[in-house]
């Protein structure tokens, strides 16, 4: 067996032994154990003997702009996470969807217009510092910087690992055949091919 | 008080009295009581004394094409419902989203191509009679009739009252201002105005 | 180590490595990974890099009559599945229970009588093509072909892996001692032994 | 309007006003408000200003043998309740099902045999004082007094309002037509009619 | 009837009528309807015809320091909310518990020390601007301003209506008899009476 | 490889093979498999072929005073468990919290006073044999023996693995620095150091 494999085996045994002790652990928290695959309810739990305060903290907001379970393993199973969004003057957060999470935004600086749509309505607001707005789960939404300076927004999600789906990436960044897009949208082939070219899609 | 109001009051007392007896009802089911507002977990329950087998059945699939909680009050709280979809030759079910429900389809007749997209992939299949396909909750998906005859599809949902959101209605059927759509999509004003005209949107 | 074991180890490392990358996967879906044991919320997730459109589709309805998570791994965690039930003339689906799922049926062909019972009531309906009926979770129910031809029914469940418990198998197919059945039912030893003989039970 | 109606109206206003204040109540608990219909998640909450310690207590175990939400309104939404079961010498708790709750039993006095069945197995144990046994949700189960004195059992349920369904009541206490029972069980008409007679069923 | 009562009745009918139309509303969101009592899953839903974008927004953070469901009715059922916490130099957020919600904090300004305790451990961190920390549901926690200026913290909760329980209010602000506190803590009567005096408790 | 490692590997293959067969297991129950780490929804499931009736039973109440998932693996995922509490004359169960479970108590012998506190109220009752009382999830509560003999109480929890947090252990048994306790409680350094000394805390 290769050295790499030996390391993994050793690692594996370390975990294997820690489970048995796990039988007495309580439900105070479940820090993500990335050595095992995720389940529909989140990642398996790290043995409590290996958990430290660092598992519940992160300085990642400035670097990655996210504080998701990958950044804070202690978020696992808690159904909450955060992100920091910088929006330049005239900039925006394009139309997107979180299929698995509601989003609450707190404006930290600047002025923005935020909104979401349903089949029957548009719900839109102009927001300034310390204003709060909520996007219910799975609804198409956007943010536009409508102020005269950069805007900073803190976003929190009702999931420790929210999925972020930019609408036009879904439509034009993959190899979804143009004839199918034509049949399932109101766009013609020329428009579709132009957008695919912009976003790097094919077909 | 008007006669109409008297009727409502009487009705109200009828319900008021029935709750108290309700205190002994069990959790076998909770048939929707449309006299009271929905809650996040579904509609309040009808008094069991008023429930009949008709509350659990419907012949609505051929008329309305839906068997949702409004059609079958007994679905309330069960998180399941059904629809029947007829797709003409060359027809399709346009790009849409169910923010609150997974969807499983069973092809009853004809040949279709069904698919959904994530930020990184397209998951697409050609399906024939008795083939099954699933669209996970909140993901953008479509169906195209790729056969030589009408297609009939039974769709079932992981919600008793699924929301159906046609993508282009969300974008172009309301009064979302054109400048905001420009800033949050890759479309130019001319395209947007054309699509708004087609779908009856303004702004 | 045996070759078989080597194969498994290699397989295991393949998975072990894929988890770490898993730390960045989102919650768009969780395709069942049958290499690891089920949890109360479903199977662990396959690494997204190994997921294909086949994980969300099945042609199993005609072969196995089921489209459960074992047939469509993409159903994992979605709480929905389907089955196709053929009922001969004069045939029936015997009294049974799904302890973990509601069931909605759509009649595709023929005429049936479907019903379920509570301690206080019988809820029964005659159903024809495209009629829909629902059996709430955990309630004893049945279907009888009451038409003049074979009946075909599509059944969908509020679970990706519903348990199907035929009542008389529960009572008479195992080694539950006859004296205990006598004390907990209204049947006498002779009847019980006769039914055990029919179903292959002992005791 | 009648005096009775006036009383109800007054009552109604009392509640109507209390809701608005309710807007600031927290989620410490939700004591059942039996004036309004149950929802799939439980009864609406009584205004906290009307809640007393009696809403969380009961002396009903000796009288009613139950401590369900109807006996302890404070159980509402907590998904837990209790019962006290006296089983005479040679007595039993007949085959029954709780479609909506797991059950845990603690033997307080005497000796019993408890068990539940799945399609593939029988899980059965002899239990004495302070032994514990669990019946998973929706599975057919029974208890038999196998000791030489009365047995006393405390049962607790994973629901504040568990449904108790005695198997033979489901089959023979209602008007389910004998021909349908014949077709969906292994019993013949004579047996069915005999059992219907014993339990007061018709048809 | 008094004018006030007439207003309420009219109001009531307005709602009564709106429910029936409610039968067709979807699950896009459920804006809190404070005219009816809360349920274990949240408040009943306002009729969609009365919902505006203001139901999803609030400028309350600077005034009330909270953005809970009472401030943003659109949060109802979404299980998320926010607060803004100002902590003076040398100030702190005393030991407290949220029985029904996890809490994630984002430091907006200043330096703090945050921590929570389990029976076996203390999890504590020093945090600066844009650092994130999480307090799992129901655990005793605190924040101390350990910097040289006022600290500002955004807190978000995994509940739309979190309960905030200051530990010493629970112990000493009510009429819990001193002898019982003596028997259930390590404090003597003198200490207890002193603390009751400070917090306005009796007994 | 060491013999110990060989044993583990063999063990591991045993499980690895059992999962694949697991793909057909149903949701009747999910007996805890302590060889793998817990998930937010509970432990992974043991292969059904290894499950026996002993997995659902325990005689541990008299020995350990608990019947939690570690004592009864079959409780896994069912959200219910039990404990037996002996309280001497003049004894008590000190102030504590279960962050993850409601608790229902049944008095089996003696007389007790039980209570819990919210920010606004004390809910307290004197209880005798067969009286029942409930402590909602996450609320601070206590029991005092107020009778003239030993009291015996059966406690059941809305979790298969409840966390038990004694308040004064949380505050004084760990190394939480005295200055922080001073700033976040109303206690002075002398009191804190005295209590730390009593409970074995440092700092």
């Amino acid at each position: 067996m290769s050295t790499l494999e030996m390391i993994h085996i050793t690692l594996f045994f370390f975990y294997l032994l820690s489970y048995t002790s796990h039988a007495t652990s309580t439900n105070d928290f479940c820090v993500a154990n990335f050595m095992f695959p995720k389940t529909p309810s989140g990642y398996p739990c790290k043995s409590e003997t290996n958990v430290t305060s660092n598992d519940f903290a992160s300085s990642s907001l400035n670097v990655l702009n996210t504080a998701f379970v990958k950044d804070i393993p202690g978020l696992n199973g808690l159904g909450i996470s955060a992100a920091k969004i910088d929006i330049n003057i005239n900039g925006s957060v394009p139309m997107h969807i979180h299929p698995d999470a509601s989003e609450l935004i707190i404006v930290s600086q600047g002025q923005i217009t935020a909104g979401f749509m349903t089949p029957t309505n548009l719900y839109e607001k102009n927001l300034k510092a310390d204003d709060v707005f909520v996007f219910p789960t799975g609804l198409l939404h956007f943010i536009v910087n409508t102020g005269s300076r950069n805007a900073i927004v803190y976003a929190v999600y009702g999931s420790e690992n929210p999925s972020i789906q930019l609408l036009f990436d879904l439509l034009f960044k993959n190899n979804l055949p143009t004839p199918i897009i034509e049949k399932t949208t109101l766009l013609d082939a020329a428009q579709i091919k132009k957008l695919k070219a912009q976003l790097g899609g094919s077909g």
Side-chain angles (χ1 to χ4, degrees), chain A:
Chain A
M1 302 178 69
S2 76
T3 322
L4 173 68
E5 283 170 337
M6 282 312 297
I7 288 157
H8 277 117
I9 285 223
T10 322
L11 228 154
F12 171 68
F13 290 135
F14 168 78
Y15 278 90
L16 202 60
L17 295 164
S18 66
Y19 312 147
T20 55
S21 72
H22 232 91
T24 59
S25 73
T26 58
N27 297 322
D28 294 333
F29 47 67
C30 174
V31 174
N33 175 348
F34 296 126
M35 292 296 297
F36 283 79
K38 201 170 57 176
T39 74
S41 65
Y43 287 94
C45 315
K46 230 164 107 168
S47 172
E48 272 179 47
T49 55
N50 305 329
V51 171
T52 73
S53 54
N54 293 327
D55 289 312
F56 301 98
S58 170
S59 298
S60 59
L61 269 193
N62 278 326
V63 193
L64 307 175
N65 293 102
T66 62
F68 294 172
V69 70
K70 68 181 167 53
D71 309 305
I72 305 181
L75 291 177
N76 188 48
L78 299 185
I80 195 163
S81 63
K84 185 185 184 183
I85 308 169
D86 280 86
I87 313 173
N88 300 333
I89 302 176
N90 298 318
S92 73
V93 181
M95 292 284 175
H96 67 289
I97 290 163
H98 309 293
D100 58 341
S102 293
E103 177 178 359
L104 178 151
I105 56 172
I106 303 168
V107 180
S108 171
Q109 172 187 299
Q111 289 198 327
I112 63 172
T113 296
F116 65 87
M117 287 86 76
T118 67
T120 49
N121 279 90
L122 162 70
Y123 299 94
E124 185 186 25
K125 284 286 288 185
N126 298 319
L127 306 167
K128 61 186 186 326
D130 274 341
D131 285 353
V132 175
F133 194 75
V134 61
F135 307 115
T137 306
L139 301 189
L140 187 65
H141 61 283
F142 63 88
I143 303 176
V144 175
N145 184 339
T146 46
S148 54
R149 59 182 292 201
N150 284 15
I152 298 175
V153 174
Y154 290 112
V156 291
Y157 305 91
S159 161
E160 65 252 31
N161 195 17
S163 173
I164 298 165
Q165 309 204 337
L166 294 172
L167 180 58
F168 275 50
D169 286 357
L170 294 179
L171 287 171
F172 304 112
K173 201 177 185 172
N174 51 37
N175 60 349
L176 182 59
T178 297
I180 283 183
I181 304 181
E182 274 186 274
K183 280 199 171 176
T184 57
T185 68
L186 293 167
L187 303 174
D188 58 44
Q191 286 177 349
I192 294 163
K193 287 182 186 303
K194 185 181 148 206
L195 291 163
K196 277 180 173 288
Q198 280 179 266
L199 285 161
S202 61

